Amino acid sequence: DLHNPSIKPERRMTVDSFLRNNRGIGENGSDLPDEFLRGIFNRIKERPFSLKEDDAAREKATASSMQDSYFGGEGGGLLGFGLVGAPTTEERKREKFQKEREEMLSA
């Protein structure tokens, strides 16, 4: 959660909480050296990483949000007017869920 924008900075993981969370993970339940764990924490802090799936989901959500606010989802739209007949974000989510459900049931 160190780089998660939805978590307030004061609630993000600290080096102390990282050390605490990683107690007892060494061989036979031993602790790894603090210096080693601090190095890992600092590298993560300096060079964030994320899964490709997370990046893709984040990009898709941003694009969808921008499209909704510009083209008409949930009462927004170009100059404040939604496109007539354009599906809302919620409708698109329901349609996607239904399609995935049907695909799973047919497999």
Side-chain angles (χ1 to χ4, degrees):
D1 65 0
L2 183 61
H3 299 287
N4 187 338
S6 65
I7 297 176
K8 295 179 182 179
E10 64 270 11
R11 301 211 34 123
R12 292 186 185 161
M13 184 173 288
T14 64
V15 70
D16 290 330
S17 60
F18 183 77
L19 293 172
R20 201 173 32 255
N21 287 342
N22 287 288
R23 294 281 177 229
I25 65 169
E27 194 171 325
N28 297 321
S30 65
D31 291 343
L32 297 173
D34 282 359
E35 181 97 8
F36 176 74
L37 292 173
R38 285 177 193 277
I40 293 172
F41 179 86
N42 289 330
R43 283 190 297 279
I44 293 170
K45 186 175 180 179
E46 292 168 11
R47 292 184 296 270
F49 65 89
S50 63
L51 301 173
K52 287 183 182 182
E53 294 85 4
D54 292 342
D55 292 340
R58 194 174 6 262
E59 288 172 14
K60 185 176 179 181
T62 300
S64 177
S65 172
M66 289 174 59
Q67 181 179 8
D68 284 347
S69 63
Y70 189 75
F71 289 114
E74 276 82 63
L78 191 58
L79 302 176
F81 300 99
L83 296 177
V84 176
T88 65
T89 301
E90 200 57 41
E91 289 169 332
R92 285 194 307 272
K93 286 180 186 177
R94 265 184 263 147
E95 289 171 7
K96 183 178 178 185
F97 174 79
Q98 185 65 29
K99 182 179 177 185
E100 289 175 358
R101 184 175 181 267
E102 288 171 4
E103 288 173 359
M104 285 192 296
L105 291 175
S106 66

